[in-house]
Amino acid sequence: MAPADPQHLEWMGLALEEARRALATEDVPIGAVVIGPDGTVLGTGRNEREALGDPTAHAEVVAIRKAAARLRERAMLDGGSGDGWRLEDCTLVVTLEPCAMCAGAIVLARIHRVVFGAWDEKAGAAGSVFDILRERRLNHWVEVYAGVQEEECGLLLRDFFAAHRTAG
């Protein structure tokens, strides 16, 4: 495996911070950030399914929604064009391999690159179970960088589930 890109490591650190914040609401600790083409953070998210009672409140979807709103706001302030929902040239960084729902949202948002930490051998859709992000029959393909800070991302999840197994 090639050495991790220093920017990917920095961005994964931000995603891990978001993941840890999910613990306060008993949500599975998964965090995500959307990075704009200029390297600025456009949106952050963490799992909020438990907090919001919303099955679609995955970290990636929350971050994508925030990033799109910020781009839409920027376009309105600048008087320029832009619909906000096209996150072209953006990077999504997430602590766990995206599921099928999140991978679909990533493709539809036209996100250019996904960087993720731990693999999800049960529900991953970026190469482990499915590979929606690089499915050639779709109209958009995504660059994928897997395994960035994989051990730290995986440990956070393993600790969470171990604590819930012993508590239940």
Side-chain angles (χ1 to χ4, degrees):
M1 180 181 278
D5 181 311
Q7 272 197 313
H8 293 177
L9 293 172
E10 178 185 338
W11 296 336
M12 187 59 75
L14 298 174
L16 280 161
E17 286 176 25
E18 280 298 311
R20 289 183 191 99
R21 287 187 184 109
L23 295 169
T25 56
E26 302 280 325
D27 276 286
V28 176
I30 300 170
V33 294
V34 175
I35 307 296
D38 61 357
T40 61
V41 175
L42 294 176
T44 61
R46 61 186 169 277
N47 269 10
E48 295 187 82
R49 294 185 309 169
E50 299 296 330
L52 301 176
D54 179 354
T56 69
H58 288 208
E60 300 95 322
V61 172
V62 173
I64 289 168
R65 287 177 179 156
K66 288 180 182 178
R70 185 153 182 211
L71 286 179
R72 195 169 37 257
E73 183 179 285
R74 276 187 188 175
M76 288 172 33
L77 289 173
D78 294 342
S81 63
D83 47 36
W85 68 264
R86 286 181 181 88
L87 303 181
E88 297 166 329
D89 298 323
C90 290
T91 300
L92 181 122
V93 182
V94 61
T95 57
L96 182 67
E97 179 184 6
C99 69
M101 176 185 71
C102 294
I106 290 163
V107 169
L108 292 172
R110 310 296 194 270
I111 291 173
H112 178 74
R113 177 181 309 106
V114 168
V115 176
F116 72 84
W119 290 91
D120 185 347
E121 298 297 333
K122 293 182 180 176
S128 61
V129 178
F130 305 105
D131 199 354
I132 293 170
L133 298 180
R134 294 174 285 204
E135 173 55 59
R136 291 292 171 196
R137 292 173 289 184
L138 298 176
N139 65 336
H140 178 73
W141 309 290
V142 181
E143 284 180 22
V144 176
Y145 296 87
V148 175
Q149 289 185 252
E150 180 176 5
E151 187 56 37
E152 186 175 354
C153 294
L155 182 61
L156 186 60
L157 290 162
R158 286 190 301 276
D159 287 350
F160 174 81
F161 287 114
H164 278 73
R165 279 191 297 276
T166 58

